[in-house]
Structure formats: structure tokens, C-alpha cells
Amino acid sequence: MKDKLIIAFNISKTYDLLLQGKGDRVSIYDCTRHYWANVKKARAELAEFAFGVAHGKVVGVYRPTSWRYVEYLNNCQRIEFEGVEIVDSPYLGMDVSEYFYKVQNPVRYIGNW
């Protein structure tokens, strides 16, 4: 995993809402791809994979095909991606909790950035 450039998003809150049938996200992909603050587009475009991480486990793996800024609540600029799901990824189910331990930022960069 260290030889890949991965951007990982902590989606625990929206993932839990999804499992409960609540919230506005309809899939793990929607939980992972939407509305991230403090992410530079130029850096995100370097990522080979985007991970959706819930409670320290990789629950979704995507190969981003494009990134863009979008208007979000209160006219804030956030970033989102379009991508292709990697359904047979060896990363699915992997424990990556060490990257999110005691950090507030829900976005982590994994690999040799």
C-alpha cells in the first residue's frame, strides 16, 4: 500500500446513517465521493485510489477519474470526485485505523506523497 498514492476519507457518520436508512446518501460511493473541505484539487488528482473508511475499516475503494469543486452549504467550495468502484480490491476490509487515530481531519493521504 505504501507504493500507491491513496486518499482516504473517514465516512463513519454518513455510513452509519446509510445503514440506518437515514440521511441523504444512497450508497457507500456517495458517502465517499462528496463534499470534502481542505483538499487541494491538484493533490487529489495524484491519487490512484480513493478509500471510504468507516470505523477504521476500508468499506469502499474507487479509482477517481475526475475531481471538481462544487458549491456546498452556505456557498462553501468543497471537492468531490467521479470514479469507478474496484469491487474486488484487496484493500476492502483492511484496517487503516492507525491513519485516523486521534486526528480530527477526515481526510488522510496514504503512501509516498
Side-chain angles (χ1 to χ4, degrees):
M1 191 164 74
K2 297 280 188 202
D3 61 330
K4 306 289 185 197
L5 296 181
I6 298 164
I7 187 168
F9 301 101
N10 183 349
I11 63 167
S12 296
K13 290 179 185 177
T14 55
Y15 179 79
D16 289 347
L17 290 172
L18 174 69
L19 293 181
Q20 296 167 18
K22 300 177 181 176
D24 60 350
R25 309 290 168 86
V26 297
S27 65
I28 294 171
Y29 175 63
D30 276 345
C31 293
T32 305
R33 68 180 288 263
H34 282 302
Y35 313 130
W36 298 102
N38 302 320
V39 175
K40 301 267 191 255
K41 185 178 178 216
R43 189 170 189 198
E45 288 175 333
L46 298 174
E48 184 175 347
F49 296 108
F51 287 177
V53 178
H55 307 292
K57 301 278 187 206
V58 177
V59 295
V61 178
Y62 308 92
R63 184 177 308 279
T65 56
S66 66
W67 293 86
R68 67 176 172 261
Y69 288 108
V70 295
E71 295 270 331
Y72 190 58
L73 301 174
N74 302 320
N75 297 323
C76 293
Q77 288 283 315
R78 300 287 179 104
I79 197 166
E80 68 178 16
F81 70 91
E82 295 286 334
V84 177
E85 183 176 14
I86 311 297
V87 294
D88 58 349
S89 173
Y91 299 119
L92 282 171
M94 181 178 282
D95 184 339
V96 293
S97 56
E98 67 186 87
Y99 295 101
F100 291 95
Y101 184 71
K102 291 192 176 184
V103 295
Q104 291 183 344
N105 189 343
V107 180
R108 305 303 297 165
Y109 297 94
I110 301 171
N112 294 319
W113 288 85

